[in-house]
Amino acid sequence: DEQPSNLSLGSEMSGLQMQATFLPLIFMGVAALILNVLMIRMAEQQRCIIGTLKALGIYDGEILAHFLKFGIAVGISGGISGIVLGVFIASGMMEMYKEYFSFPKLGNHLYPGIMSAGIFISVFFAVIGTLRGVRTVTKLNPAEAMRPNPPATAGKIILERWNFIWHNLDFRWQMVLRGIFRNKGRSIIGLCSAMFGGA
């Protein structure tokens, strides 16, 4: 167990195990955020239609189920595409490992349990992103949902109180800083995404 070849192979395997744990979580989290934004936009575009359907007696659960079908379809198709791509990449990696580590026999095998778990995780994250995105519109009462979305309220941000700093900023910077402070949730998500991407 102290041979250099074994240490090299062991460190490679532990590195692969670490990548197999953390990379999918990061990608799935980003996918859930993207689906969340997409479903919020889609639900906002269909806001008047959703309000009309609710006024006609369609339940929130039925509207939610309609949008969930989109998320489930995205999760299943993404999971299957990932499996196909994964099998293709894994076979290439096996060939590379056979050559580099001089394995006499190293094959690429299919594992239905792991593949099923991959599709389940993909669908799970897609559903989470979809649920959070559509929930905002389904909460509205029909009369409110049939009206267009009211503009966001505008107020002074904390930096505008410091006149010396604020008046020395270019108007473009002022617009950017107002956008950051008025959309705190979006700014925090963007900051965390940049941190994970940098990490």
Side-chain angles (χ1 to χ4, degrees), residues 160-175:
E160 289 184 68
R161 295 181 188 156
W162 300 335
N163 289 330
F164 175 76
I165 296 172
W166 188 254
H167 292 301
N168 286 327
L169 290 172
D170 185 37
F171 80 94
R172 293 179 191 88
W173 274 106
Q174 291 176 352
M175 286 174 55

Side-chain angles (χ1 to χ4, degrees), residues 31-143:
L33 287 174
I34 291 170
L35 261 175
N36 178 30
V37 171
L38 178 69
M39 295 313 291
I40 287 173
R41 297 259 168 94
M42 188 183 279
E44 285 294 334
Q45 284 177 347
Q46 299 177 9
R47 180 187 171 107
C48 294
I49 297 168
I50 292 170
T52 307
L53 289 172
K54 287 177 79 167
L56 292 172
I58 303 292
Y59 295 112
D60 287 347
E62 294 176 90
I63 294 168
L64 200 59
H66 168 72
F67 281 101
L68 273 179
K69 289 175 188 171
F70 178 80
I72 290 169
V74 167
I76 290 172
S77 59
I80 291 171
S81 302
I83 286 170
V84 170
L85 186 64
V87 167
F88 177 73
I89 291 172
S91 62
M93 283 184 71
M94 290 298 117
E95 291 301 317
M96 184 182 71
Y97 280 142
K98 262 199 282 192
E99 207 170 304
Y100 183 78
F101 288 109
S102 301
F103 284 122
K105 184 181 178 185
L106 182 66
N108 186 22
H109 303 286
L110 302 179
Y111 298 95
I114 294 174
M115 291 176 176
S116 303
I119 292 175
F120 174 77
I121 292 168
S122 176
V123 170
F124 176 74
F125 275 91
V127 166
I128 285 176
T130 305
L131 274 177
R132 195 175 181 296
V134 179
R135 196 182 57 183
T136 53
V137 178
T138 54
K139 277 184 179 178
L140 301 173
N141 62 43

